[in-house]
Amino acid sequence: MPKQDDTARSDLRDLLVMLRDALGQPPLGTLLAAMAIRTIRLLAEQDLGKRMAMREQISAYLAETWGK
């Protein structure tokens, strides 16, 4: 039986695919899709330490990728 976390990740990927299809957009790149999933998970996280760690990862990715 899959773990709840595995199911949640699958559900998030399915949500991204549905949103992309509804908006008529091309497929997301692997890194961008992973970052979107992390952002959604960040919004749902209750543990402040985990939220801050995820926020730093996202910030580092954005700085590295787009120089922001």
Side-chain angles (χ1 to χ4, degrees):
M1 178 170 230
K3 293 192 266 180
Q4 184 178 6
D5 195 42
D6 293 338
T7 303
R9 287 180 186 171
S10 176
D11 289 348
L12 285 174
R13 279 192 292 273
D14 292 347
L15 174 63
L16 286 176
V17 169
M18 286 188 292
L19 288 171
R20 181 198 73 210
D21 291 346
L23 295 171
Q25 297 297 308
L28 294 173
T30 303
L31 290 175
L32 186 57
M35 207 45 54
I37 290 170
R38 283 186 182 166
T39 302
I40 293 168
R41 292 180 73 197
L42 170 68
L43 294 172
E45 181 58 59
Q46 299 298 314
D47 183 306
L48 185 57
K50 288 181 181 179
R51 285 182 75 142
M52 295 306 289
M54 281 191 229
R55 181 175 179 243
E56 290 302 317
Q57 289 176 354
I58 291 168
S59 180
Y61 170 77
L62 292 174
E64 183 179 310
T65 305
W66 286 293
K68 297 191 182 212

